[in-house]
Amino acid sequence: MSNFQWDFSTIWNNIGYLGQGLAGTLYLAAICLVFGTLLGLLLGLALSSHRVLLRIPAQMFVGLFRNTPSMVQLLWIYYALPVLLGVQLSPFIAAIVAFSLYSACYISGIFKSGIVSIPKGQIEAARALALTRLQTLRLVILPQAVRKMIPPFANQAMEIIKLTSIASIIAYGELVLHTKTISDQEFRPIEAYTTLALLFSTILIPLAYLTLHLEKKFSDYRMPSKSQKS
Amino acid sequence: MAYDWDFSVVLRSNELLWKGLVATLNLTAVTIAIAVPLGFILALALLSNIRMIYWFARAFVDFFRTSALLVLIIWFYFAFPMITGLRVGSFEAAALALGLQNSAYLAEVFRAGITSVARGQWEAGRALGLHLIPLFWLIIAPQAIRPIIPVLVNVLSEIIKGTSLAAAIAYAELAFQGSMVASTTYRPLETYTIVAALYFVVIFLLNQLASYLERRLGRNEVRA
């Protein structure tokens, strides 16, 4: 079939539906990023805490989520958790719960290494200035840690966008599901799925280059930038 | 709320789940067989001085690194056979998608490993009169491999996680078999808990191995 006739007109006719899918993807990704970050901060603090009662449960939680596929987590939350709760979750809510928890585990690692990277002297200095713990975190640790966290954070945002594609298997209306519908209706799988792949790339490749740029800008800002070559 | 856990119904279907686990490992093995050699070639291409080769490899790596795996799997399953006229089953489609994406990840890992070897090593090899290929295999590669090994094991566990997406195109791996068992036994809670536990055991052990290797082989500067 070398003389296949590409015909994108059917895709173009469904552009509105595709746009809805894209909106669904970005909406889900944005919500998961927000929840993932908040939860990730709490987890990160728990992970770098000296209290065993905080640290161990956080470690177990992170270990559980990092060592299982997000696909299985989503299936578990959508199909298995309702049995325990007695309430059926909508695909949207299930996806938010699954992906927020999954990304929180990775984001917690970013926060933790950001916090750990701050020299002890900074915290002692804050103590000496009689700052409370919360003030130390807010005024001393986080502003410095954030610089180092920005590149991996941008990377994580990309991962979340990719992750949302999995929500199509529980029929949440995002880009993959909508493409599938178009492909099935129009009998144009090649054009539909090629458009899908290209759409993801046009969102993610610029983000990838932004991440690379941020990495160059922030990662080792103490080193002279002369020797940098990527 | 008291729920009566009952694993016995699910355990009666244990054969299906074991088959799923074997299929998962099978797909993982084929993915590795594609991704490692291709990743190595791409890494060399990324280090090439020839612009054309470099840009081709760069575009390939960037495209596959930034693609959503599920999208690739679906593309290779539904679109690829129609374009090429080849017969592509769910196993082949998943293996291709996983293999190509991970070759792109590994290309960066290998590249970073190779560039982590000090420049002087190349120069010393040259000074000893070694040609490029023996110089690479005898001097550079043995040093580059050290930081790479723990990362490789990490990538391996990521691949296992990735294979679960092949369930979307009905490849009978562990997650897919799990959904089959869940719908026939009406015990989704027990089934998905067992499936998650099986994945956990395999991936956890691999990650423990990775961090052990990382300690043994020294802190590595290479990241996926």
Side-chain angles (χ1 to χ4, degrees):
Chain A
M1 276 232 306
S2 53
N3 51 354
F4 173 78
Q5 293 285 318
W6 291 79
D7 178 13
F8 282 98
S9 64
T10 49
I11 309 300
W12 185 246
N13 292 336
N14 289 301
I15 194 83
Y17 189 63
L18 213 58
Q20 278 175 24
L22 182 61
T25 293
L26 296 178
Y27 186 51
L28 179 59
I31 292 178
C32 293
L33 187 61
V34 171
F35 283 128
T37 306
L38 294 176
L39 204 60
L41 175 59
L42 294 180
L43 268 176
L45 290 175
L47 284 175
S48 36
S49 165
H50 293 292
R51 282 185 211 152
V52 178
L53 268 177
L54 278 175
R55 202 176 62 231
I56 302 289
Q59 278 172 346
M60 281 169 65
F61 184 81
V62 171
L64 195 65
F65 273 85
R66 289 187 93 145
N67 291 312
T68 45
S70 45
M71 172 86 157
V72 174
Q73 291 159 17
L74 182 65
L75 289 173
W76 198 91
I77 287 167
Y78 188 60
Y79 291 110
L81 187 61
V83 178
L84 283 178
L85 292 178
V87 186
Q88 181 58 52
L89 303 173
S90 72
F92 182 54
I93 301 293
I96 290 177
V97 174
F99 302 151
S100 298
L101 293 178
Y102 187 77
S103 358
C105 290
Y106 284 87
I107 291 174
S108 72
I110 300 173
F111 276 115
K112 190 195 154 197
S113 51
I115 292 168
V116 170
S117 72
I118 304 303
K120 264 223 165 90
Q122 297 275 334
I123 296 160
E124 286 159 9
R127 272 277 165 79
L129 291 169
L131 294 180
T132 64
R133 280 181 164 229
L134 204 64
Q135 281 176 320
T136 309
L137 185 69
R138 195 167 57 88
L139 300 170
V140 180
I141 299 177
L142 282 182
Q144 297 182 72
V146 158
R147 278 182 83 95
K148 292 180 181 170
M149 280 158 28
I150 287 174
F153 198 79
N155 202 35
Q156 196 55 41
M158 283 175 55
E159 289 303 318
I160 292 179
I161 294 178
K162 292 189 202 171
L163 209 56
T164 57
S165 65
I166 302 174
S168 63
I169 60 146
I170 56 165
Y172 167 69
E174 44 69 76
L175 203 47
V176 178
L177 191 79
H178 280 212
T179 308
K180 223 171 192 162
T181 314
I182 294 173
S183 157
D184 291 349
Q185 276 172 3
E186 310 283 355
F187 302 110
R188 283 274 161 195
I190 302 184
E191 288 87 348
Y193 292 121
T194 304
T195 308
L196 173 66
L198 293 178
L199 269 176
F200 264 95
S201 295
T202 37
I203 301 168
L204 291 169
I205 290 183
L207 268 176
Y209 275 91
L210 180 69
T211 310
L212 212 68
H213 172 74
L214 291 173
E215 236 162 62
K216 271 192 194 148
K217 203 171 162 194
F218 288 124
S219 311
D220 29 20
Y221 54 96
R222 278 194 215 118
M223 301 212 322
S225 57
K226 253 187 210 163
S227 60
Q228 285 212 356
K229 204 179 140 193
S230 67
Chain B
M1 219 194 95
Y3 174 76
D4 288 324
W5 291 74
D6 181 10
F7 283 100
S8 63
V9 200
V10 179
L11 289 177
R12 241 172 275 155
S13 314
N14 71 69
E15 208 170 296
L16 280 175
L17 294 180
W18 285 126
K19 268 191 192 151
L21 184 59
V22 170
T24 290
L25 297 177
N26 201 359
L27 182 55
T28 306
V30 173
T31 301
I32 293 282
I34 297 173
V36 170
L38 189 58
F40 179 66
I41 293 168
L42 284 169
L44 294 183
L46 285 177
L47 292 166
S48 165
N49 287 325
I50 305 164
R51 296 234 120 191
M52 276 271 287
I53 293 179
Y54 170 80
W55 283 113
F56 176 77
R58 186 81 267 162
F60 183 94
V61 168
D62 280 352
F63 175 77
F64 279 103
R65 252 163 47 120
T66 58
S67 298
L69 179 58
L70 183 66
V71 173
L72 288 178
I73 289 178
I74 290 175
W75 192 86
F76 274 103
Y77 189 60
F78 291 109
F80 183 68
M82 291 184 76
I83 293 177
T84 57
L86 296 170
R87 282 173 59 91
V88 179
S90 54
F91 177 77
E92 290 85 355
L96 271 172
L98 276 160
L100 291 178
Q101 178 162 67
N102 284 292
S103 74
Y105 288 144
L106 286 178
E108 294 288 5
V109 173
F110 291 147
R111 187 190 60 85
I114 294 169
T115 47
S116 75
V117 179
R119 220 150 220 278
Q121 299 286 321
W122 289 92
E123 286 156 10
R126 272 282 158 76
L128 291 170
L130 285 173
H131 284 291
L132 192 60
I133 292 171
L135 167 58
F136 182 80
W137 286 116
L138 296 175
I139 295 177
I140 306 302
Q143 300 181 69
I145 200 101
R146 267 175 81 95
I148 288 175
I149 286 174
V151 188
L152 261 183
V153 181
N154 259 328
V155 170
L156 183 60
S157 70
E158 287 302 317
I159 291 175
I160 294 178
K161 287 191 202 170
T163 58
S164 66
L165 296 186
I169 53 167
Y171 173 63
E173 46 69 67
L174 188 50
F176 183 80
Q177 296 288 59
S179 63
M180 289 288 112
V181 173
S183 57
T184 50
T185 58
Y186 297 106
R187 288 277 173 184
L189 180 58
E190 288 86 347
T191 311
Y192 286 119
T193 304
I194 291 177
V195 168
L198 284 173
Y199 274 112
F200 181 84
V201 169
V202 176
I203 297 169
F204 180 76
L205 288 177
L206 274 174
N207 281 336
Q208 291 302 105
L209 176 68
S211 44
Y212 166 76
L213 288 172
E214 207 174 318
R215 280 195 306 272
R216 270 226 48 192
L217 300 173
R219 263 186 62 75
N220 68 78
E221 309 296 325
V222 192
R223 252 178 284 147

